[in-house]
Amino acid sequence: MFSNSTVPASTALRNPRRRQRTGSDDSVAVRQLPKRLKRSGLTTETFQPLNHSANGHLHNHESSPTANGYIRDPESQSPAGGENTSLAIRNRSNRKPERERRSNRGDGSIELTKNDTYAVNRLATTPVQFQEQGNTGKWHGSLAPGLGHAVATTHTHAFIWRYKQASKAMASSKPIVVQLLHVANSADDPLPLGVLVPSSPEPGLLIIMPVSGKVSYWDSLSSAASVDRGRQRQQTIQGTVAGLAAGEHINEITEAEPQGFLLTCTSGKIVHLTVADLQGKASIHTQILRNSSAEVGGIFGSLRNVFGGGGWLRDVVAVKAGNLLHKAQRECVVGTTKGLLQVWDMNWNGSHSLKYEVDAKLQLLQSVQDTGTFASNSENQLLTVLDLAFLPAVVTGQEVTSSTSSSATRLLVLAVMSGANTTRYNLHVVNITRGEINVPVVHPITCYRSPLATGTSPKPQLLVPDPGQIAFVVFETSVVLVSLEEIEESPDSQLQNEARRVPDPFQDVLDLRKDKGYAIVGCAADTIGKEHRGSACTIMIRGYGVIRVSVASVEEGRTSAERTALTAETKLEQAVFYGSQQSLLDMSGRPEIQFASEDVRDAALRISRSITSSSSKHLSTAGPSMEQHLQKRATALAELIKHLRKHCHPLDHVTRWKLLWEAEKMAAARAIWRLYNDAVSHTHEGEKILLYELVECISENDKTENRPEHHETDHVRHWLIKDVWRLEFVIPWAFKALDTLHRWSIEDGQPMSSAYRGGLISQAYDLQLMALGTAYSFRQNNASLYGFNEDAMSEGLLQRDSQEYHGIPQPWTSSNIVCEAVQTLAEYFQTFASDLSPNSSDEEGAGPPQELLQKIAEKNSRLIDTICKTHIERFRFLQASDQVRNRKLGQELENHLSDPRKALLKGLADMGQLVAAVELGEKYRDMDALAEVLESEIQVAQEELSDLVKAGDNLEEVRAKIATCEAFVDEYFDKYGTAWANAYFSRYVAQDRIWNLLTHGRKRHRHLTAFLRSHPECTSFSWINEVSVEGNYAAAADGLKSMQKQTDTLWAKQIQLSISKLATMAAVSVQQKEADDVKPFFHTTDSGLEVLSFQEQLHDYLKPTLGKALNDTPAKIEVVMEQYGKRFVKGKPALRGAMKLHVARLVEEKVLGAEDLADMITFMDEDGLDPDSDFAIRRFMVALQVVRLHADSTGDVASKELLEKIIWRRCIIQDDWPRINRTELKDEKQVEEEAEATALFKTLREGYKSGFWEHNPPPNPSTLRGVGTTVPSLRTSSRYSEATDNALSVIAQDLEIEDAALRACIEQGRLGEWWKGIVDAAQSSVRNEADRNGEEESKRAEGEQMSREKKAGDDGAAWKLDGMEKKKAAGGRWRLETDEEGDVIME
């Protein structure tokens, strides 16, 4: 049953003591078969027979087997016997077969996914019919990694093919088809079980019918594949598994040795089946494993074994064959779902015994509870064993557990802990030593928690390939990878443990796509070649084919910590670079594998940058097609955002913006490459390509330098591969390179021609337009993909005040260097074009062709559009900033954008692109620019038309141009309304073309009137439009009235008041205003005109003085201050400063406020005035009148009272009353003359003469004491309401000086006693003057009467003087009247 040495059974078959078969008896001698029979193309060189297996997987016979079916290094194996050593290596050469060697270099497989830990490849040798997605029929799969073959069975056939193929060019293998000898009774019966048997020179095939137990064995595939049914049956060894009860069937077959198998029945029965006898002759033999200790002799014992099972386990879940313990002894383990484990010793002679039977359930439960996964007191927890596997006896690298004795059975048990709504899978390391069980290590599976499938779904399978660092748990649609390595203890790991930063062991899940109907139907553990040792798992998938999951072992010199928990970056990379390239694996992720939002964000940004810089290990940096390279990177960026949006936590808008900007740059790079590729294709020898020169010019800090030692010579391709992420540097360098080349050509004494320079300008335009235009288009078209509202975005620009601006960095498309670069290039070309005339040329020949200039001019319009976008995006971004400084800067940029845009659009129109300029103006609703462009074009055309008229040339083209512009103007009044009218008419006002505005605007009077009414600065002439066009006198009056506050010139103010009054009177006359309503206005206007007349009188009085100075305002101010501001304001800084300001306004003929005018009049020194002038006599009276008029119009009584008292005080202190009071040695006349010469007397006399004191009686000097000498007293006046206390305190100090002078006049000059006499004298003087004036008027009237009478007598007129009597009119005035008869009478 077992061979007696470690030499494979295939070599045992060649025992020299046995009769050797002849060639005619060789079942694989294809050349001796009848020609009518078709045989497989298999030869003796195709297969390499394998030796024993562990966990049910076959091994190559080159070395002794180990657990889980993997071989060790041949040099580390000791030969079992000298006589067999030569036989074991007889069929081996020092060289690998060609196909195996080539498989190391590549076997034509397709890479489905890969990361630093594992790789998944689709094997290219799967037959086509098994790769078809629609092939979802029932079939069972079995893999033999050692043989490199796969078996697929249906109810009627078996298909065998070699899935390990060395040739890269090998297509899908054509399978060997074997028609089964036995057919199931029903389609619902379990599928036949098929397995390959190691044999020489080719494998044999074993088929078992699960229900009937019938066995078919062919010792070679050639025999099994015979199309001759008779010959096929003849070469078949048949048998039956005895002892199957009704309803019982075989559900699993486990390889226990090269020609021995363990069959697991649904009843729990284990059957040992061999396909050769002890002499190596093919035969079928079965034997049920029985526990000898449970056997009972006699007929009753036999019946008990039949009906009771004889120690069989009803819930067997796993049967695994372990390593060879001795030459003729193998260990097998049987496990149940409840945790019962049986360890069997099986001998080559067919004997077997139950070595240990242990119940591991309690230890497994305890180990789970120790992990804290489930609460220890939970009553609804159920532990179920799902599978088990032998652990390798020797593990390279870090040990999974501490070493055990050689007699220990080391297992890895897959168990599930199920709760009410929870499922937790664990891998338990179980050591069984002399019947004692120990569970030292538990590996919780945290990445997969899906509940077990119910029904007929296959159970999970546990695979532990050599060297035992990785375990594979294979479910029906998922494969779980679990690292069995432990982090070795070190000072660093201890610190990490204390900081809770110890990395978790590596785990990951490979999920099949559920929408494709894929299902795993077979799997087997495998290893990677000897030179690159590692673990692998080969999986057969229904509807897809065969794949291999390869895990590289931890390299020597590295720690197990370096392969730790799965990272967000790894999963994202797999989804990005492999998600869309294959249809098998579901890259959407599992809910159990979650990463922190910050980790996902950082990983996404790193991956995006690795794509744009080609630093990702998944990208190549060399290849024949740059277009394909860029396309692959662009696709990767698209896949990144799709995966993030669909399967990850919502990203913050800042991260989404950064990802979008990277994708924009990639799209722009593709456009630039196509532009460059086209330029290379059409450039003649000696001509420069701007992009090539540009890349060389870029600073080394802004690009990745070529490495000549690595033969990197193509600057442009290298830049596109490495530096797309900083593509924004191309924008400024497009102009810098152009300017540099031009400057170098001048320095070299060979300045480039205008045509050549124009061509470079065109290339620079193309670069900037391609980069920015593509970026904005990509942004607009992909806004929704990146989670932005595309309705809130127009042409790639966010709307104003969008919340998306908050917190993001400055967009690269609107950085300061980009904005300046595009504007500089546009201005550069416009300057270049304006310097060229149609007939211009240079030393090298003719200037640039007109078609080139036209082409660049057309591009200029697109570049101006781009300029507007970049600037708008920049100031909107700044305006959304949280910093006041940035918001202010953004507003300034917006305000200043109109000026360069206006200039650029005008330059565009000057280049013959009027329509393009107008379209851009319309697009950005820049009414000022449109008005500038159209009016400029009209003016230039009209001048050109005038010249053509003089020359007698054709005028139609120019007239058509004018008509076109005027059509635009008329259209815009209807299209844009007020916005256009304001811009259009404002240009007339700015150019002082008022008459043209009022005349040409009449045909658009509705818009003109609205414009004039909404612009107060136009009120000075808008009343003309109101009167002459609208006939609205009321509006004219109101406009003039409102303008009074804005007018600052004396004469203009007088005119405005007068015209305003006249317009109001006209409005009343046409009933546009009510007479009663305008009375207050008339009163106010009259008061204002009177106050202005007083200022005019003051100005006229000062004219002689002003004439002494040059035509210089400061000089005139000094002259006035020198003559009139030396005494009274001396020592009074506040009053002197105020007087100087008032003088300045008088010199400039600016309007003074009423209170300021009163101050100015009273500040002037008395001795500087002409004492006989009317102004000198009446100035204080005028000041009081000004104050009264102002108070009447404003109603400010408090200010009036305060200022009137100050004026009276200044009037009094103008004279030296203590000197006047000294009357000794003065006659009466002298005293009267001194008193009448005072300002007080003159003011009182003027008041009585005009009747002013009837409503404003002069105050007693004693009531003027202390007026305005404190801050509170000054606060009573609205004039000082907004002044600070410090300013008012200075004014109060100056007024205190005035008050001290008044006090001296009262106390030393006895002004209180003089007051009554001065008042009486003033009244008497007025009466006397009235009498004199009356007498003079009476004499004058009498003389005029006598003259008229004489004239009447001379003319024959009869005048009658009867009835006349002379009557003296009041005040000495006479009144002339006509009586009833027409005679003149005098009263």
Side-chain angles (χ1 to χ4, degrees):
M1 181 175 176
F2 291 100
S3 60
N4 57 2
S5 69
T6 59
V7 181
S10 58
T11 61
L13 294 176
R14 294 190 295 271
N15 191 321
R17 292 178 295 178
R18 293 180 57 229
R19 180 179 58 85
Q20 300 295 319
R21 296 182 181 181
T22 63
S24 61
D25 295 332
D26 192 350
S27 62
V28 295
V30 178
R31 62 184 179 277
Q32 297 180 8
L33 292 176
K35 294 183 178 180
R36 67 179 183 275
L37 301 179
K38 293 184 179 179
R39 293 288 186 174
S40 171
L42 304 175
T43 66
T44 56
E45 297 178 356
T46 304
F47 303 96
Q48 296 298 326
L50 302 185
N51 199 3
H52 304 72
S53 65
N55 292 331
H57 304 294
L58 301 178
H59 300 270
N60 192 293
H61 72 282
E62 293 176 354
S63 60
S64 63
T66 62
N68 296 329
Y70 299 100
I71 59 176
R72 297 182 185 140
D73 191 336
E75 296 181 0
S76 65
Q77 305 298 321
S78 300
E83 69 280 11
N84 291 327
T85 302
S86 60
L87 294 175
I89 63 174
R90 184 179 61 179
N91 291 333
R92 292 178 57 199
S93 63
N94 292 330
R95 297 178 65 234
K96 293 183 178 180
E98 182 62 21
R99 281 179 291 179
E100 186 175 349
R101 287 192 299 109
R102 288 163 56 188
S103 66
N104 289 335
R105 299 195 300 268
D107 55 2
S109 61
I110 302 173
E111 190 173 76
L112 302 181
T113 186
K114 183 180 180 181
N115 57 33
D116 291 338
T117 301
Y118 64 86
V120 181
N121 294 79
R122 179 181 187 178
L123 304 185
T125 54
T126 305
V128 175
Q129 56 266 46
F130 293 99
Q131 296 182 17
E132 296 175 354
Q133 183 177 333
N135 185 9
T136 57
K138 295 178 62 177
W139 53 284
H140 177 271
S142 174
L143 295 164
L147 297 173
H149 278 68
V151 180
T153 57
T154 67
H155 280 297
T156 59
H157 291 81
F159 302 86
I160 304 98
W161 71 93
R162 183 178 181 89
Y163 69 85
K164 285 188 177 181
Q165 184 58 256
S167 174
K168 294 181 181 178
M170 176 62 68
S172 299
S173 299
K174 184 177 180 180
I176 299 173
V177 182
V178 177
Q179 186 175 0
L180 303 184
L181 298 179
H182 307 286
V183 181
N185 296 327
S186 171
D188 297 329
D189 286 350
L191 291 169
L193 302 177
V195 66
L196 293 176
V197 181
S199 180
S200 179
E202 61 176 318
L205 175 63
L206 176 67
I207 300 294
I208 299 176
M209 304 304 293
V211 176
S212 64
K214 294 180 179 180
V215 180
S216 300
Y217 170 64
W218 294 270
D219 61 358
S220 68
L221 294 179
S222 301
S223 301
S226 175
V227 297
D228 186 339
R229 297 282 290 176
R231 187 177 181 84
Q232 184 189 30
R233 287 181 177 274
Q234 182 182 0
Q235 295 180 348
T236 304
I237 305 299
Q238 300 188 46
T240 302
V241 178
L244 292 180
E248 182 183 14
H249 65 267
I250 302 168
N251 59 5
E252 188 175 359
I253 179 170
T254 303
E255 302 169 17
E257 56 174 313
Q259 295 182 337
F261 303 90
L262 294 176
L263 309 182
T264 305
C265 302
T266 54
S267 63
K269 183 190 303 178
I270 309 299
V271 178
H272 182 211
L273 180 148
T274 59
V275 295
D277 55 18
L278 295 178
Q279 287 73 35
K281 183 179 180 181
S283 65
I284 302 298
H285 176 72
T286 62
Q287 183 180 6
I288 299 174
L289 297 187
R290 299 179 185 275
N291 184 0
S292 59
S293 63
E295 295 181 358
V296 179
I299 185 172
F300 297 102
S302 301
L303 291 174
R304 180 180 178 184
N305 290 335
V306 172
F307 297 104
W312 303 337
L313 303 176
R314 295 287 182 179
D315 53 354
V316 173
V317 72
V319 177
K320 297 297 173 71
N323 300 314
L324 288 174
L325 302 178
H326 302 289
K327 293 181 180 180
Q329 187 179 7
R330 179 186 292 275
E331 187 178 61
C332 295
V333 174
V334 179
T336 70
T337 58
K338 296 180 180 180
L340 186 66
L341 302 177
Q342 290 183 343
V343 182
W344 292 79
D345 272 345
M346 302 183 65
N347 201 280
W348 66 276
N349 59 9
S351 64
H352 57 269
S353 63
L354 180 62
K355 186 177 181 181
Y356 305 118
E357 182 177 285
V358 295
D359 189 349
K361 184 175 182 179
L362 292 178
Q363 286 84 350
L364 295 177
L365 281 172
Q366 183 62 44
S367 64
V368 173
Q369 292 174 358
D370 292 342
T371 64
T373 307
F374 283 81
S376 59
N377 59 353
S378 177
E379 299 179 357
N380 297 323
Q381 299 172 5
L382 177 64
L383 184 140
T384 304
V385 175
L386 302 178
D387 200 4
L388 57 86
F390 279 90
L391 285 173
V394 179
V395 178
T396 58
Q398 178 66 26
E399 292 288 349
V400 179
T401 61
S402 59
S403 60
T404 59
S405 64
S406 60
S407 62
T409 301
R410 303 178 59 251
L411 304 173
L412 188 65
V413 177
L414 171 64
V416 59
M417 195 76 177
S418 303
N421 297 310
T422 58
T423 303
R424 299 289 188 272
Y425 298 93
N426 299 282
L427 293 177
H428 306 259
V429 176
V430 176
N431 294 330
I432 303 176
T433 306
R434 298 183 179 87
E436 298 294 331
I437 188 171
N438 178 33
V439 184
V441 177
V442 178
H443 298 278
I445 299 178
T446 59
C447 63
Y448 186 89
R449 293 175 180 174
S450 298
L452 283 173
T454 58
T456 60
S457 299
K459 69 178 183 67
Q461 298 187 57
L462 175 62
L463 305 175
V464 185
D466 282 342
Q469 297 175 343
I470 289 288
F472 296 90
V473 182
V474 183
F475 295 87
E476 184 178 15
T477 58
S478 301
V479 179
V480 180
L481 288 77
V482 181
S483 173
L484 302 180
E485 302 167 287
E486 293 184 4
I487 308 301
E488 59 270 18
E489 292 189 4
S490 65
D492 291 340
S493 65
Q494 292 178 1
L495 292 175
Q496 289 178 341
N497 188 28
E498 294 174 0
R500 299 180 179 271
R501 292 183 300 178
V502 176
D504 297 325
F506 176 84
Q507 292 186 14
D508 199 4
V509 181
L510 298 173
D511 285 313
L512 305 186
R513 292 183 57 175
K514 296 179 176 57
D515 58 336
K516 301 293 185 179
Y518 297 136
I520 297 174
V521 296
C523 61
D526 205 343
T527 56
I528 305 175
K530 297 178 181 178
E531 288 129 7
H532 306 283
R533 289 189 59 82
S535 305
C537 175
T538 306
I539 301 171
M540 186 182 296
I541 300 172
R542 182 178 59 212
Y544 190 81
V546 180
I547 67 171
R548 178 186 289 118
V549 184
S550 305
V551 181
S553 62
V554 177
E555 298 177 2
E556 189 174 347
R558 296 179 60 192
T559 64
S560 56
E562 295 182 40
R563 183 165 73 188
T564 54
L566 198 65
T567 64
E569 185 170 358
T570 298
K571 297 301 290 182
L572 283 179
E573 283 182 332
Q574 288 181 272
V576 167
F577 294 104
Y578 298 101
S580 63
Q581 298 179 8
Q582 48 83 32
S583 61
L584 176 67
L585 300 178
D586 183 1
M587 297 294 185
S588 60
R590 298 189 59 86
E592 299 91 339
I593 303 177
Q594 296 292 330
F595 303 99
S597 299
E598 296 78 7
D599 295 338
V600 175
R601 176 199 64 199
D602 296 341
L605 293 176
R606 286 193 299 269
I607 293 173
S608 179
R609 178 56 54 83
S610 71
I611 295 172
T612 53
S613 63
S614 296
S615 58
S616 172
K617 58 181 174 295
H618 300 285
L619 295 172
S620 62
T621 56
S625 175
M626 178 57 66
E627 177 64 28
Q628 292 180 3
H629 173 78
L630 295 173
Q631 174 63 47
K632 182 178 181 180
R633 292 161 67 189
T635 301
L637 291 174
E639 291 298 323
L640 174 62
I641 189 61
K642 289 178 183 177
H643 183 83
L644 289 170
R645 293 287 313 287
K646 187 176 181 180
H647 303 296
C648 298
H649 295 293
L651 294 172
D652 60 277
H653 75 289
V654 176
T655 302
R656 287 184 281 116
W657 269 116
K658 292 180 178 180
L659 295 175
L660 175 56
W661 291 335
E662 298 267 307
E664 290 172 6
K665 293 179 180 180
M666 185 56 63
R670 294 182 63 196
I672 290 175
W673 164 252
R674 289 191 289 268
L675 182 70
Y676 172 77
N677 192 48
D678 183 68
V680 172
S681 301
H682 296 86
T683 299
H684 302 291
E685 185 177 356
E687 294 181 351
K688 292 184 181 297
I689 300 177
L690 186 63
L691 180 61
Y692 185 85
E693 305 296 332
L694 178 154
V695 173
E696 285 192 335
C697 291
I698 294 178
S699 170
E700 60 183 9
N701 296 327
D702 300 329
K703 69 177 180 181
T704 303
E705 290 287 345
N706 281 2
R707 296 176 298 174
E709 65 276 11
H710 293 159
H711 308 287
E712 296 174 349
T713 59
D714 192 332
H715 300 285
V716 175
R717 282 180 170 83
H718 186 75
W719 178 82
L720 287 170
I721 292 172
K722 294 293 186 181
D723 295 310
V724 170
W725 62 278
R726 40 188 173 189
L727 179 137
E728 61 269 22
F729 291 108
V730 167
I731 310 302
W733 275 102
F735 169 74
K736 290 181 180 179
L738 169 66
D739 187 59
T740 301
L741 292 175
H742 182 218
R743 188 174 65 254
W744 285 351
S745 68
I746 296 175
E747 293 175 355
D748 294 341
Q750 296 179 344
M752 61 179 62
S753 65
S754 298
Y756 187 69
R757 186 179 170 197
L760 291 178
I761 293 175
S762 179
Q763 291 187 46
Y765 265 51
D766 290 337
L767 278 175
Q768 290 191 352
L769 288 173
M770 280 295 179
L772 294 174
T774 304
Y776 281 123
S777 298
F778 182 91
R779 185 183 302 171
Q780 181 66 42
N781 296 334
N782 294 274
S784 58
L785 176 61
Y786 284 82
F788 301 113
N789 183 5
E790 59 183 7
D791 295 333
M793 189 179 292
S794 176
E795 296 188 4
L797 298 181
L798 287 172
Q799 301 295 339
R800 184 187 297 271
D801 300 327
S802 173
Q803 294 298 318
E804 296 293 345
Y805 280 120
H806 292 287
I808 67 173
Q810 173 73 57
W812 73 275
T813 48
S814 57
S815 63
N816 188 42
I817 59 173
V818 170
C819 291
E820 290 181 356
V822 290
Q823 181 175 339
T824 301
L825 181 59
E827 293 171 347
Y828 180 83
F829 169 68
Q830 289 190 355
T831 303
F832 170 74
S834 64
D835 293 340
L836 294 174
S837 64
N839 300 321
S840 64
S841 62
D842 49 34
E843 297 179 358
E844 299 297 327
Q850 288 303 307
E851 57 270 19
L852 176 60
L853 291 177
Q854 181 71 16
K855 180 180 178 181
I856 302 177
E858 294 173 356
K859 294 179 182 178
N860 189 254
S861 65
R862 294 167 53 199
L863 191 63
I864 293 174
D865 185 24
T866 304
I867 292 170
C868 295
K869 288 181 182 178
T870 58
H871 283 75
I872 290 173
E873 184 178 50
R874 179 168 175 77
F875 71 65
R876 286 181 181 176
F877 164 77
L878 292 172
Q879 289 172 353
S881 173
D882 296 332
Q883 299 182 8
V884 177
R885 176 177 173 273
N886 287 343
R887 292 199 299 269
K888 182 179 179 182
L889 178 59
Q891 190 60 49
E892 292 176 356
L893 290 175
E894 181 178 9
N895 296 337
H896 295 160
L897 174 60
S898 59
D899 293 335
R901 180 166 57 198
K902 186 188 302 182
L904 289 170
L905 292 181
K906 186 176 183 304
L908 183 62
D910 293 342
M911 290 187 292
Q913 299 294 315
L914 173 63
V915 176
V918 169
E919 289 176 350
L920 286 174
E922 291 179 356
K923 178 179 180 179
Y924 294 102
R925 298 184 67 86
D926 193 338
M927 301 296 107
D928 291 336
L930 285 173
E932 176 79 18
V933 169
L934 292 175
E935 277 299 300
S936 297
E937 289 293 311
I938 291 174
Q939 290 179 11
V940 172
Q942 288 176 343
E943 294 174 359
E944 185 178 355
L945 181 64
S946 177
D947 296 338
L948 292 176
V949 169
K950 294 179 181 178
D953 293 337
N954 185 13
L955 311 178
E956 294 303 323
E957 183 178 353
V958 180
R959 286 175 176 171
K961 185 177 182 180
I962 295 175
T964 301
C965 294
E966 290 180 344
F968 278 124
V969 172
D970 293 337
E971 177 189 353
Y972 292 161
F973 277 106
D974 297 331
K975 186 175 182 179
Y976 299 114
T978 302
W980 168 250
N982 290 342
Y984 184 72
F985 293 134
S986 294
R987 193 167 187 276
Y988 281 87
V989 175
Q991 295 177 346
D992 290 332
R993 298 165 59 197
I994 307 302
W995 177 249
N996 291 338
L997 174 66
L998 297 175
T999 55
H1000 295 169
R1002 289 192 175 187
K1003 63 180 180 180
R1004 308 178 184 98
H1005 66 89
R1006 180 171 60 87
H1007 294 287
L1008 176 61
T1009 300
F1011 167 77
L1012 294 174
R1013 289 177 179 175
S1014 62
H1015 288 72
E1017 67 274 12
C1018 300
T1019 310
S1020 59
F1021 54 86
S1022 65
W1023 64 272
I1024 301 175
N1025 178 73
E1026 297 288 357
V1027 172
S1028 61
V1029 177
E1030 303 294 336
N1032 192 336
Y1033 303 106
D1038 293 340
L1040 290 167
K1041 179 181 178 181
S1042 64
M1043 187 181 63
Q1044 296 173 15
K1045 299 179 181 179
Q1046 303 172 7
T1047 305
D1048 202 24
T1049 305
L1050 178 61
W1051 65 269
K1053 184 102 172 180
Q1054 288 176 316
I1055 294 175
Q1056 288 171 359
L1057 287 174
S1058 300
I1059 298 176
S1060 176
K1061 182 178 180 180
L1062 181 62
T1064 304
M1065 294 172 66
V1068 172
S1069 67
V1070 296
Q1071 296 182 351
Q1072 293 178 355
K1073 286 181 177 290
E1074 296 293 335
D1076 293 339
D1077 295 338
V1078 299
K1079 286 181 179 179
F1081 170 72
F1082 285 150
H1083 178 72
T1084 302
T1085 302
D1086 292 340
S1087 298
L1089 287 171
E1090 191 170 357
V1091 170
L1092 292 176
S1093 68
F1094 288 142
Q1095 181 176 342
E1096 186 176 16
Q1097 293 175 23
L1098 175 59
H1099 186 270
D1100 291 342
Y1101 182 79
L1102 294 177
K1103 273 185 179 180
T1105 305
L1106 296 175
K1108 300 177 182 179
L1110 298 175
N1111 190 18
D1112 181 51
T1113 299
K1116 292 181 178 180
I1117 295 173
E1118 290 301 323
V1119 169
V1120 174
M1121 293 298 295
E1122 181 67 24
Q1123 183 167 351
Y1124 301 105
K1126 295 176 61 176
R1127 184 181 65 84
F1128 185 79
V1129 296
K1130 183 179 181 181
K1132 304 170 185 174
L1135 300 185
R1136 180 175 175 79
M1139 181 179 179
K1140 199 168 186 179
L1141 293 176
H1142 300 338
V1143 172
R1145 294 190 65 82
L1146 284 172
V1147 170
E1148 296 173 353
E1149 298 187 15
K1150 303 292 185 181
V1151 176
L1152 281 172
E1155 294 170 327
D1156 293 338
L1157 178 60
D1159 273 345
M1160 178 63 199
I1161 293 173
T1162 57
F1163 283 163
M1164 299 174 69
D1165 293 338
E1166 186 74 18
D1167 51 4
L1169 300 173
D1170 181 5
D1172 297 329
S1173 65
D1174 183 66
F1175 176 78
I1177 295 173
R1178 299 181 61 252
R1179 66 181 184 122
F1180 286 102
M1181 183 68 231
V1182 169
L1184 292 171
Q1185 287 178 314
V1186 167
V1187 172
R1188 188 197 68 178
L1189 291 171
H1190 178 67
D1192 290 346
S1193 61
T1194 61
D1196 190 355
V1197 178
S1199 297
K1200 169 180 171 291
E1201 291 178 351
L1202 176 65
L1203 189 54
E1204 278 184 342
K1205 290 181 179 180
I1206 292 175
I1207 292 173
W1208 275 111
R1209 185 171 61 195
R1210 290 173 181 170
C1211 177
I1212 293 172
I1213 65 176
Q1214 288 292 322
D1215 299 291
D1216 190 359
W1217 283 99
R1219 181 185 61 78
I1220 297 173
N1221 181 58
R1222 292 193 293 273
T1223 57
E1224 60 273 17
L1225 300 178
K1226 295 180 182 178
D1227 57 15
E1228 187 72 14
K1229 182 179 180 181
Q1230 184 179 358
V1231 172
E1232 289 181 357
E1233 289 177 352
E1234 289 181 354
E1236 293 176 355
T1238 62
L1240 178 60
F1241 177 84
K1242 295 175 182 178
T1243 303
L1244 290 171
R1245 183 176 180 278
E1246 289 296 322
Y1248 285 118
K1249 183 177 179 179
S1250 61
F1252 186 78
W1253 306 134
E1254 293 180 6
H1255 302 288
N1256 297 276
N1260 191 289
S1262 61
T1263 63
L1264 306 179
R1265 295 283 299 272
V1267 174
T1269 58
T1270 61
V1271 172
S1273 63
L1274 292 175
R1275 288 283 185 198
T1276 59
S1277 172
S1278 61
R1279 182 185 186 187
Y1280 302 113
S1281 61
E1282 297 181 359
T1284 63
D1285 289 344
N1286 291 335
L1288 291 182
S1289 63
V1290 177
I1291 296 174
Q1293 292 175 4
D1294 290 354
L1295 295 180
E1296 176 65 31
I1297 297 174
E1298 293 183 3
D1299 193 65
L1302 175 64
R1303 186 166 56 251
C1305 293
I1306 294 175
E1307 295 176 357
Q1308 301 176 19
R1310 297 191 305 153
L1311 183 58
E1313 300 176 16
W1314 280 82
W1315 174 253
K1316 183 74 170 61
I1318 295 294
V1319 171
D1320 292 341
Q1323 292 175 340
S1324 176
S1325 174
V1326 171
R1327 286 195 296 270
N1328 292 337
E1329 182 179 0
D1331 290 342
R1332 289 193 300 272
N1333 291 338
E1335 293 176 358
E1336 291 176 359
E1337 184 176 351
S1338 175
K1339 291 179 180 180
R1340 181 182 58 79
E1342 184 177 356
E1344 291 178 353
Q1345 179 67 21
M1346 291 177 64
S1347 298
R1348 285 196 297 271
E1349 289 177 354
K1350 182 178 180 181
K1351 183 177 181 182
D1354 295 339
D1355 295 338
W1359 291 85
K1360 296 181 179 180
L1361 301 177
D1362 297 340
M1364 291 182 59
E1365 62 179 357
K1366 186 184 300 182
K1367 295 182 180 179
K1368 188 174 183 180
R1373 296 182 182 272
W1374 294 90
R1375 186 177 76 246
L1376 297 179
E1377 293 184 354
T1378 305
D1379 60 10
E1380 296 177 356
E1381 297 179 356
D1383 296 332
V1384 178
I1385 60 175
M1386 180 183 298
E1387 293 183 353

